[in-house]
Amino acid sequence: MTTQQFHQVYKQNSVSTASPGELTLMLYNGCLKFLTKAKQAMSEENVQERNRNLQKAQKIIQELMVTLNQKYEVAKQMMVMYEYMNRRLIEANIKNDISIVEEVEGFVIEFRDTWEEVIRLTRQKQFKGDQV
């Protein structure tokens, strides 16, 4: 098995064994990766790469939107934010505006960091529950 094949199998196993919370975290991290690549493409004036990576980031945001459970008020608020972020990435792509990408990146970082804390607290709570 080549290194690339091994890496692909590892990634597939990581996704298939991840909890829903870990999958959401992976989506946030993937979005950040594509935003970073889009900013790099912008600085290199590579329109095709900018477009490709911004569209990948948008697809991740759209996936996050689909997974929201709308029966909770916080999900409705998140939907508004995801819609805003998605619109801003379209605008960033049209205007070739790195500052808009950085704005969205800030939101994604904040959501990712919050989500990491939720996972940590949930695991901590589960661990304490197992010890009783």
Side-chain angles (χ1 to χ4, degrees):
M1 184 179 289
T2 68
T3 304
Q4 186 175 6
Q5 290 170 323
F6 179 77
H7 183 68
Q8 189 64 29
V9 168
Y10 174 78
K11 279 177 36 180
Q12 288 173 344
N13 286 340
S14 295
V15 171
S16 64
T17 60
S19 70
E22 291 167 329
L23 289 173
T24 300
L25 190 58
M26 287 178 187
L27 287 172
Y28 285 133
N29 285 327
C31 188
L32 289 170
K33 177 180 85 172
F34 293 125
L35 292 175
T36 299
K37 287 183 174 187
K39 289 191 312 181
Q40 180 67 34
M42 288 173 148
S43 68
E44 295 170 356
E45 298 181 13
N46 186 335
V47 176
Q48 202 169 27
E49 272 302 298
R50 176 194 79 211
N51 183 53
R52 180 181 359 268
N53 286 294
L54 287 176
Q55 286 183 350
K56 286 180 179 182
Q58 284 177 261
K59 287 184 188 298
I60 289 174
I61 290 170
Q62 291 162 3
E63 181 63 27
L64 289 164
M65 291 166 76
V66 168
T67 63
L68 288 173
N69 185 342
Q70 291 294 311
K71 72 178 183 177
Y72 299 105
E73 187 59 36
V74 69
K76 293 175 185 174
Q77 294 167 3
M78 289 297 295
M79 179 65 80
V80 171
M81 284 302 302
Y82 288 153
E83 288 171 344
Y84 173 79
M85 291 162 54
N86 196 47
R87 278 193 316 273
R88 292 295 281 166
L89 289 179
I90 292 168
E91 188 178 345
N93 206 355
I94 292 169
K95 293 181 176 180
N96 191 35
D97 189 335
I98 201 166
S99 67
I100 298 173
V101 177
E102 289 169 343
E103 173 193 2
V104 172
E105 185 179 46
F107 289 127
V108 176
I109 288 169
E110 190 174 328
F111 295 151
R112 190 258 334 256
D113 291 351
T114 300
W115 200 250
E116 280 181 331
E117 184 67 8
V118 167
I119 290 172
R120 187 188 68 75
L121 292 173
T122 301
R123 285 183 182 154
Q124 191 175 49
K125 184 178 177 183
Q126 288 173 340
F127 181 74
K128 285 181 181 177
D130 291 344
Q131 297 296 312
V132 177

